[in-house]
Amino acid sequence: MEEPAAGRLCAIRRRMVERIGANRYRTWFGGTTELQLDGHRLDVTVANGFVGNWISSNFMAHLVAATRDVVGIEPHVAIHVGEVASCAAPAEVP
């Protein structure tokens, strides 16, 4: 039985913390970035282009690896600039 998307997102966040550290995770993914998982597709919504470019340039390989670890196959990770709900990504480290 497959784990619900919310549980898989928590697992992806934990793996990101392991890969990049708690401080960097909080800075770039805590509160200003929303993650949504649909099958093997991870959508990362950010508040502005600067954050999107930074995440794409510095953390894309980590996002792909963390998602692959959780979903079991090569994922598609896409970064979008848009409105992020204030509670979409917890500010605390999972």
Side-chain angles (χ1 to χ4, degrees):
M1 185 170 160
E2 188 172 287
E3 183 179 6
R8 291 183 293 158
L9 279 173
C10 286
I12 291 168
R13 288 183 181 112
R14 281 192 301 273
R15 292 196 191 277
M16 285 297 294
V17 169
E18 291 168 4
R19 290 176 155 280
I20 68 172
N23 287 336
R24 287 173 63 192
Y25 178 86
R26 272 191 293 272
T27 299
W28 296 103
F29 295 93
T32 60
T33 303
E34 181 178 311
L35 304 178
Q36 293 182 332
L37 186 64
D38 183 14
H40 69 280
R41 179 184 174 92
L42 180 68
D43 288 311
V44 181
T45 304
V46 298
N48 60 59
F50 175 78
V51 173
N53 287 334
W54 185 268
I55 288 174
S56 181
S57 296
N58 294 281
F59 301 121
M60 183 60 79
H62 297 294
L63 284 166
V64 169
T67 305
R68 182 179 49 239
D69 289 348
V70 172
V71 301
I73 60 173
E74 193 66 23
H76 175 76
V77 178
I79 297 176
H80 310 277
V81 176
E83 192 169 323
V84 178
S86 61
C87 63
E92 72 276 355
V93 175

